Amino acid sequence: MKRFIGFIKKEFYHIFRDRRSLFILFGMPIAQILLFGFAITNEINNVDIAILDHSKDASTEEIINKISASKYFTVKQILTREADIETAFKKGKIKAVLNFEKHFSRNLIKQNQATIQIITDATDPNTANSITNYINAILQNYQQEKNRAIVVEYQIIPQTRMVYNPELKSVFMFVPGVMTIILMLVSAMMTSISITREKELGTMEILLVSPLKPFQVIIGKVVPYIFLSVINAAVIVLLSIFIFKMPLQGSLILLGLESVLFIITSLALGILISTIAETQQSAMMISLMGLMLPVILLSGFIFPISSMPVALQVISNIIPAKWFIIIIKGIMLKGVGMAFIWKETLILMGMTLFFIGLSVKKYKIRLE
């Protein structure tokens, strides 16, 4: 037991004296969570728009003032003719143009309707769609204010309520996904590189014939990364709560236990990668290319799995990150307990045992 503890201490010394490893372990997670939290967002703020007002009456002025008073839009340019629209878009500063028809107020009073053309720059489809929805919401609010005194029989008024994320903050979506990516990459990549380094330098054979048993060597390599990954998970959760004001509705203990389970799953996957890779460079490439793309594309982090083709939906089931994202969103945003996430927990446990079993089989073949 003393030899085993000494071996673990030696692995900690190896990690702490390598500044590059420390940067990957602690610098990259903090940088990514801040980058995703602050820079990458689906929300729009202070979008520059232009106005083409053919009417120039009281109603159009009220609408323009209402839109410019919101925090979402800034009126940067007043156009005078249709031909100026394309020029404004080509300069790249204007994301939308509101085109008011002639005699806007008169049409609104006499015909009970008037037209506003919303022209958006769809080189970024998601932003264009968001801009359209925001402007439509402002126009709908203006219309309701004007029609407040008008009573219409059999009027149906829909009421919308958003649960778990009423303000539609995109950071609530990105933080669980980023936490999953960081834990997966750091745990799997660093473990695979650490074990492959021993193989590449020829010291793995020396370790395997040492008084330590082979499974103790592998466990000794993994234990430091479990400890360091738990610290990473704690830092990410603290940043999400205190900086991004993300709620923690569920049990902190349950979140910690599920995070440790996912870390162990990722470490087991890293051990499996080390059985395939012969060099540190190949281990890093397999970890980055083989894990990052599937985690981002097929885990439901950015793109909803239900919208994917059936074949990709089936493949997504073998991605551990998919199940952990479901777990972490359930605990943090919905406040669920084990009664609601036991299936996902069992799936992660099964994947862990599968990765470990396959790794043991591979190493036995190598030793033979």
Side-chain angles (χ1 to χ4, degrees):
M1 191 64 185
K2 289 183 179 179
R3 292 194 188 98
F4 178 63
I5 294 174
F7 180 70
I8 292 177
K9 288 181 179 179
K10 187 265 295 182
E11 288 300 316
F12 272 110
Y13 291 145
H14 273 306
I15 294 171
F16 288 130
R17 75 180 184 181
D18 187 351
R19 293 183 179 179
R20 290 177 300 177
S21 297
L22 287 177
F23 175 75
I24 293 174
L25 282 168
F26 297 108
M28 185 179 70
I30 295 175
Q32 282 191 338
I33 195 71
L34 294 176
L35 177 65
F36 275 83
F38 285 118
I40 302 177
T41 175
N42 288 331
E43 302 161 19
I44 63 171
N45 286 295
N46 301 316
V47 174
D48 293 337
I49 63 172
I51 303 294
L52 178 56
D53 189 357
H54 294 287
S55 185
K56 294 183 175 66
D57 52 39
S59 295
T60 59
E61 186 177 348
E62 286 179 359
I63 293 173
I64 293 170
N65 290 337
K66 191 173 184 65
I67 290 174
S68 60
S70 72
K71 66 177 182 179
Y72 308 114
F73 301 103
T74 302
V75 177
K76 280 291 184 180
Q77 195 172 352
I78 302 296
L79 306 180
T80 57
R81 55 197 182 112
E82 299 274 351
D84 294 335
I85 296 176
E86 186 175 358
T87 304
F89 279 129
K90 283 184 177 179
K91 289 181 179 178
K93 295 182 180 180
I94 300 300
K95 296 298 181 183
V97 175
L98 295 187
N99 187 2
F100 293 85
E101 68 175 355
K102 291 182 179 180
H103 311 298
F104 186 89
S105 290
R106 189 177 69 182
N107 294 339
L108 199 60
I109 295 171
K110 290 186 176 181
Q111 302 176 14
N112 295 326
Q113 62 178 19
T115 303
I116 302 176
Q117 187 180 26
I118 304 171
I119 308 170
T120 55
D121 180 357
T123 52
D124 185 346
N126 292 330
T127 302
N129 188 51
S130 296
I131 290 172
T132 303
N133 291 336
Y134 278 54
I135 292 176
N136 283 331
I138 294 173
L139 294 176
Q140 185 70 26
N141 180 260
Y142 173 80
Q143 182 178 321
Q144 289 175 353
E145 290 177 356
K146 289 295 181 182
N147 294 336
R148 191 169 293 167
I150 301 174
V151 179
V152 181
E153 293 184 358
Y154 304 112
Q155 186 177 13
I156 299 175
I157 303 174
Q159 292 184 345
T160 304
R161 181 188 174 198
M162 301 286 181
V163 295
Y164 307 126
N165 187 9
E167 297 180 8
L168 299 179
K169 291 184 177 180
S170 56
V171 70
F172 288 8
M173 178 187 76
F174 285 124
V175 167
V178 174
M179 181 175 176
T180 304
I181 291 176
I182 291 171
L183 293 181
M184 171 68 80
L185 286 181
V186 170
S187 302
M189 183 173 66
M190 297 306 295
T191 304
S192 62
I193 291 174
S194 175
I195 297 176
T196 307
R197 183 193 300 123
E198 302 289 356
K199 290 164 55 180
E200 188 177 2
L201 298 176
T203 53
M204 178 59 81
E205 287 76 10
I206 298 174
L207 290 173
L208 292 174
V209 297
S210 67
L212 292 173
K213 295 181 180 179
F215 79 89
Q216 289 180 318
V217 172
I218 301 300
I219 293 175
K221 286 283 183 183
V222 167
V223 166
Y225 292 107
I226 294 178
F227 177 76
L228 296 174
S229 296
V230 168
I231 294 177
N232 267 328
V235 169
I236 293 170
V237 171
L238 291 175
L239 286 174
S240 65
I241 293 173
F242 292 107
I243 293 182
F244 300 115
K245 309 302 179 184
M246 188 170 177
L248 178 57
Q249 304 289 357
S251 168
L252 183 60
I253 296 175
L254 180 60
L255 178 62
L257 292 174
E258 294 290 350
S259 298
V260 171
L261 172 60
F262 181 70
I263 288 168
I264 294 174
T265 304
S266 303
L267 292 171
L269 186 55
I271 296 172
L272 181 60
I273 292 172
S274 71
T275 66
I276 304 170
E278 296 296 335
T279 63
Q280 296 179 64
Q281 186 176 4
S282 62
M284 181 177 292
M285 292 301 296
I286 293 172
S287 299
L288 288 174
M289 300 303 296
L291 295 180
M292 180 172 281
L293 287 177
V295 167
I296 292 176
L297 298 177
L298 299 178
S299 65
F301 166 35
I302 296 177
F303 310 106
I305 295 174
S306 58
S307 301
M308 299 178 185
V310 177
L312 292 181
Q313 291 186 36
V314 173
I315 294 173
S316 70
N317 291 323
I318 64 173
I319 308 295
K322 169 189 173 179
W323 307 107
F324 184 62
I325 287 177
I326 295 173
I327 291 172
I328 194 172
K329 283 186 176 180
I331 295 174
M332 294 191 74
L333 297 179
K334 298 181 180 179
V336 302
M338 182 59 74
F340 293 91
I341 56 174
W342 65 271
K343 291 182 181 178
E344 290 80 7
T345 303
L346 288 179
I347 290 172
L348 284 181
M349 288 181 177
M351 287 183 174
T352 305
L353 295 175
F354 175 76
F355 294 148
I356 292 174
L358 200 57
S359 301
V360 169
K361 184 178 179 181
K362 289 276 186 181
Y363 271 114
K364 281 185 177 179
I365 293 173
R366 285 179 178 272
L367 291 173
E368 291 171 357

